[in-house]
mmCIF file of all heavy atoms in Angstrom:
data_model
loop_
_atom_site.group_PDB
_atom_site.id
_atom_site.type_symbol
_atom_site.label_atom_id
_atom_site.label_comp_id
_atom_site.label_asym_id
_atom_site.label_seq_id
_atom_site.Cartn_x
_atom_site.Cartn_y
_atom_site.Cartn_z
ATOM 1 N N SER A 14 83.518 23.603 99.776
ATOM 2 C CA SER A 14 84.678 24.474 100.030
ATOM 3 C C SER A 14 85.594 24.593 98.827
ATOM 4 O O SER A 14 86.296 25.588 98.665
ATOM 5 C CB SER A 14 85.483 23.930 101.217
ATOM 6 O OG SER A 14 85.960 22.631 100.919
ATOM 7 N N ARG A 15 85.611 23.557 97.972
ATOM 8 C CA ARG A 15 86.591 23.495 96.880
ATOM 9 C C ARG A 15 86.124 22.440 95.882
ATOM 10 O O ARG A 15 85.109 21.765 96.109
ATOM 11 C CB ARG A 15 87.989 23.156 97.415
ATOM 12 C CG ARG A 15 88.042 21.874 98.240
ATOM 13 C CD ARG A 15 89.323 21.795 99.088
ATOM 14 N NE ARG A 15 89.199 20.725 100.089
ATOM 15 C CZ ARG A 15 89.630 19.483 99.913
ATOM 16 N NH1 ARG A 15 90.253 19.152 98.801
ATOM 17 N NH2 ARG A 15 89.464 18.580 100.852
ATOM 18 N N LEU A 17 84.672 20.040 93.099
ATOM 19 C CA LEU A 17 83.389 19.908 92.402
ATOM 20 C C LEU A 17 82.267 20.638 93.128
ATOM 21 O O LEU A 17 81.384 21.231 92.488
ATOM 22 C CB LEU A 17 83.027 18.425 92.253
ATOM 23 C CG LEU A 17 84.011 17.540 91.478
ATOM 24 C CD1 LEU A 17 83.527 16.100 91.473
ATOM 25 C CD2 LEU A 17 84.183 18.031 90.057
ATOM 26 N N ARG A 37 83.223 22.734 106.073
ATOM 27 C CA ARG A 37 83.632 22.320 107.428
ATOM 28 C C ARG A 37 84.406 23.442 108.106
ATOM 29 O O ARG A 37 84.355 23.596 109.309
ATOM 30 C CB ARG A 37 84.508 21.063 107.355
ATOM 31 C CG ARG A 37 83.740 19.854 106.917
ATOM 32 C CD ARG A 37 84.528 18.596 107.136
ATOM 33 N NE ARG A 37 85.669 18.482 106.210
ATOM 34 C CZ ARG A 37 86.453 17.432 106.184
ATOM 35 N NH1 ARG A 37 86.275 16.434 107.031
ATOM 36 N NH2 ARG A 37 87.438 17.366 105.299
ATOM 37 N N ASP A 60 79.880 19.060 109.175
ATOM 38 C CA ASP A 60 80.709 17.896 108.836
ATOM 39 C C ASP A 60 79.742 16.724 108.779
ATOM 40 O O ASP A 60 79.148 16.353 109.809
ATOM 41 C CB ASP A 60 81.780 17.691 109.920
ATOM 42 C CG ASP A 60 82.713 16.527 109.596
ATOM 43 O OD1 ASP A 60 82.274 15.567 108.927
ATOM 44 O OD2 ASP A 60 83.878 16.571 110.021
ATOM 45 N N ASN A 85 77.648 16.420 98.040
ATOM 46 C CA ASN A 85 78.841 16.241 97.208
ATOM 47 C C ASN A 85 80.032 15.718 98.005
ATOM 48 O O ASN A 85 80.944 15.113 97.444
ATOM 49 C CB ASN A 85 79.196 17.600 96.591
ATOM 50 C CG ASN A 85 80.590 17.624 96.005
ATOM 51 O OD1 ASN A 85 80.840 17.046 94.956
ATOM 52 N ND2 ASN A 85 81.513 18.287 96.706
ATOM 53 N N TYR A 152 88.189 2.836 97.862
ATOM 54 C CA TYR A 152 87.331 3.990 97.537
ATOM 55 C C TYR A 152 86.139 3.502 96.705
ATOM 56 O O TYR A 152 84.983 3.858 96.970
ATOM 57 C CB TYR A 152 88.151 5.029 96.779
ATOM 58 C CG TYR A 152 87.361 6.148 96.138
ATOM 59 C CD1 TYR A 152 87.003 7.274 96.871
ATOM 60 C CD2 TYR A 152 86.979 6.079 94.794
ATOM 61 C CE1 TYR A 152 86.282 8.317 96.281
ATOM 62 C CE2 TYR A 152 86.264 7.104 94.195
ATOM 63 C CZ TYR A 152 85.913 8.220 94.941
ATOM 64 O OH TYR A 152 85.203 9.245 94.348
ATOM 65 N N VAL A 185 87.752 14.197 87.079
ATOM 66 C CA VAL A 185 87.873 15.656 86.998
ATOM 67 C C VAL A 185 89.080 16.140 87.798
ATOM 68 O O VAL A 185 89.356 15.648 88.904
ATOM 69 C CB VAL A 185 86.595 16.330 87.556
ATOM 70 C CG1 VAL A 185 86.619 17.832 87.243
ATOM 71 C CG2 VAL A 185 85.341 15.695 86.968
ATOM 72 N N THR A 187 90.713 17.925 90.291
ATOM 73 C CA THR A 187 90.472 18.564 91.594
ATOM 74 C C THR A 187 91.585 18.050 92.508
ATOM 75 O O THR A 187 92.419 17.239 92.090
ATOM 76 C CB THR A 187 89.117 18.129 92.190
ATOM 77 O OG1 THR A 187 89.176 16.703 92.400
ATOM 78 C CG2 THR A 187 87.946 18.481 91.296
HETATM 79 N N1 NAP B 26 87.357 14.472 91.099
HETATM 80 C C1 NAP B 26 86.937 13.359 90.521
HETATM 81 O O1 NAP B 26 87.472 12.923 89.494
HETATM 82 C C2 NAP B 26 85.748 12.611 91.079
HETATM 83 C C3 NAP B 26 85.245 11.541 90.328
HETATM 84 C C4 NAP B 26 84.135 10.845 90.796
HETATM 85 C C5 NAP B 26 83.540 11.226 91.980
HETATM 86 N N2 NAP B 26 84.061 12.255 92.712
HETATM 87 C C6 NAP B 26 83.367 12.602 93.959
HETATM 88 O O2 NAP B 26 82.999 13.966 93.891
HETATM 89 C C7 NAP B 26 82.947 14.526 95.199
HETATM 90 C C8 NAP B 26 83.828 15.768 95.258
HETATM 91 O O3 NAP B 26 85.139 15.394 94.880
HETATM 92 P P1 NAP B 26 86.291 16.460 94.554
HETATM 93 O O4 NAP B 26 87.072 15.873 93.453
HETATM 94 O O5 NAP B 26 85.760 17.817 94.455
HETATM 95 O O6 NAP B 26 87.163 16.279 95.903
HETATM 96 P P2 NAP B 26 87.976 17.341 96.758
HETATM 97 O O7 NAP B 26 88.581 18.358 95.879
HETATM 98 O O8 NAP B 26 88.873 16.508 97.645
HETATM 99 O O9 NAP B 26 86.821 18.033 97.653
HETATM 100 C C9 NAP B 26 86.106 17.255 98.577
HETATM 101 C C10 NAP B 26 85.050 18.125 99.224
HETATM 102 O O10 NAP B 26 84.325 17.325 100.169
HETATM 103 C C11 NAP B 26 84.362 17.989 101.444
HETATM 104 N N3 NAP B 26 84.313 17.022 102.535
HETATM 105 C C12 NAP B 26 85.122 15.964 102.759
HETATM 106 N N4 NAP B 26 84.762 15.325 103.869
HETATM 107 C C13 NAP B 26 83.686 15.985 104.373
HETATM 108 C C14 NAP B 26 82.868 15.817 105.503
HETATM 109 N N5 NAP B 26 83.085 14.821 106.402
HETATM 110 N N6 NAP B 26 81.853 16.678 105.710
HETATM 111 C C15 NAP B 26 81.623 17.689 104.846
HETATM 112 N N7 NAP B 26 82.381 17.930 103.766
HETATM 113 C C16 NAP B 26 83.403 17.077 103.529
HETATM 114 C C17 NAP B 26 85.682 18.742 101.416
HETATM 115 O O11 NAP B 26 85.700 19.723 102.433
HETATM 116 P P3 NAP B 26 87.090 20.191 103.156
HETATM 117 O O12 NAP B 26 87.661 21.290 102.288
HETATM 118 O O13 NAP B 26 86.654 20.656 104.495
HETATM 119 O O14 NAP B 26 87.991 18.996 103.212
HETATM 120 C C18 NAP B 26 85.639 19.295 99.996
HETATM 121 O O15 NAP B 26 84.771 20.393 99.919
HETATM 122 C C19 NAP B 26 83.390 13.406 96.141
HETATM 123 O O16 NAP B 26 82.239 12.751 96.645
HETATM 124 C C20 NAP B 26 84.161 12.480 95.226
HETATM 125 O O17 NAP B 26 84.204 11.159 95.724
HETATM 126 C C21 NAP B 26 85.152 12.952 92.287
#
Side-chain angles (χ1 to χ4, degrees):
S14 61
R15 55 197 167 94
L17 300 178
R37 291 192 290 183
D60 182 330
N85 165 74
Y152 169 85
V185 190
T187 62

